[in-house]
Amino acid sequence: MPIMRSYSADDREACLGIFDSNVPSGYFAAHEQIEFKSFLDHLPGPYFVVEEDDEIVACGGFAAHRSEAGVAVLCWGMVTRKRHKSGLGRFLLMERLRRLSNDASVRVAVVNTSQHSSGFFTKMGFETHRVVKDGFCPGIDLHEMRVPLPTRPA
């Protein structure tokens, strides 16, 4: 059974390994690793790792949207390539959404993903709000997708 815990600096190499396992698959472009390293060194919000059988197999987090109040952005969510389609991506996503739902100030979650992952997010209730052809790099389009979070009683 997977467990999700907070990221620590000791997890950096494992997370970079997960990133590398998804290049050049269309999920990430190699040049994005520089941005991911900087992200890990200067986290803008909570970031998590998923462990299963004593191995870090997924990572992802969230942060407040830079310009939209009440909106959180899902950041750098990924599963090691050899574990795709194992349910870990769903687990990681649902755990992050559950944690966001506990914050009454957050009403919507946003993810910027590619055409290779947009179907997964559609199945999970997200709707596409815009598509930017080659938005990440040539051949990898940016899909901005949103999902409302459950309302909480006042």
Side-chain angles (χ1 to χ4, degrees):
M1 177 89 179
I3 60 157
M4 189 165 98
R5 65 166 174 80
S6 293
Y7 170 86
S8 77
D10 291 341
D11 302 322
R12 189 174 191 271
E13 290 308 311
C15 291
L16 291 172
I18 292 169
F19 178 93
D20 289 344
S21 78
N22 285 287
V23 175
S25 62
Y27 295 101
F28 297 105
H31 74 271
E32 290 180 289
Q33 190 191 68
I34 295 166
E35 184 181 343
F36 183 49
K37 285 178 178 179
S38 177
F39 171 86
L40 291 174
D41 294 340
H42 309 287
L43 294 175
Y47 200 67
F48 308 96
V49 296
V50 175
E51 290 183 336
E52 191 169 55
D53 301 325
D54 296 321
E55 179 185 2
I56 295 173
V57 293
C59 51
F62 53 81
H65 194 284
R66 290 182 183 149
S67 60
E68 287 186 69
V71 177
V73 179
L74 299 177
C75 304
W76 291 103
M78 61 190 86
V79 174
T80 191
R81 177 81 181 210
K82 67 183 177 186
R83 301 295 296 276
H84 284 194
K85 301 194 183 296
S86 69
L88 288 169
R90 183 180 197 288
F91 175 80
L92 174 64
L93 175 63
M94 296 309 292
E95 278 296 304
R96 291 187 291 166
L97 293 177
R98 183 185 64 75
R99 291 171 193 228
L100 283 170
S101 293
N102 290 329
D103 183 342
S105 70
V106 180
R107 299 179 316 275
V108 174
V110 174
V111 65
N112 292 311
T113 191
S114 75
Q115 69 271 28
H116 304 290
S117 299
S118 62
F120 166 78
F121 288 101
T122 298
K123 285 190 256 180
M124 301 305 292
F126 284 73
E127 293 183 0
T128 300
H129 278 251
R130 72 182 176 112
V131 175
V132 178
K133 181 155 178 58
D134 299 329
F136 287 112
C137 69
I140 302 180
D141 303 338
L142 183 150
H143 288 237
E144 179 189 312
M145 303 181 78
R146 294 173 174 245
V147 67
L149 295 172
T151 55
R152 291 144 310 273

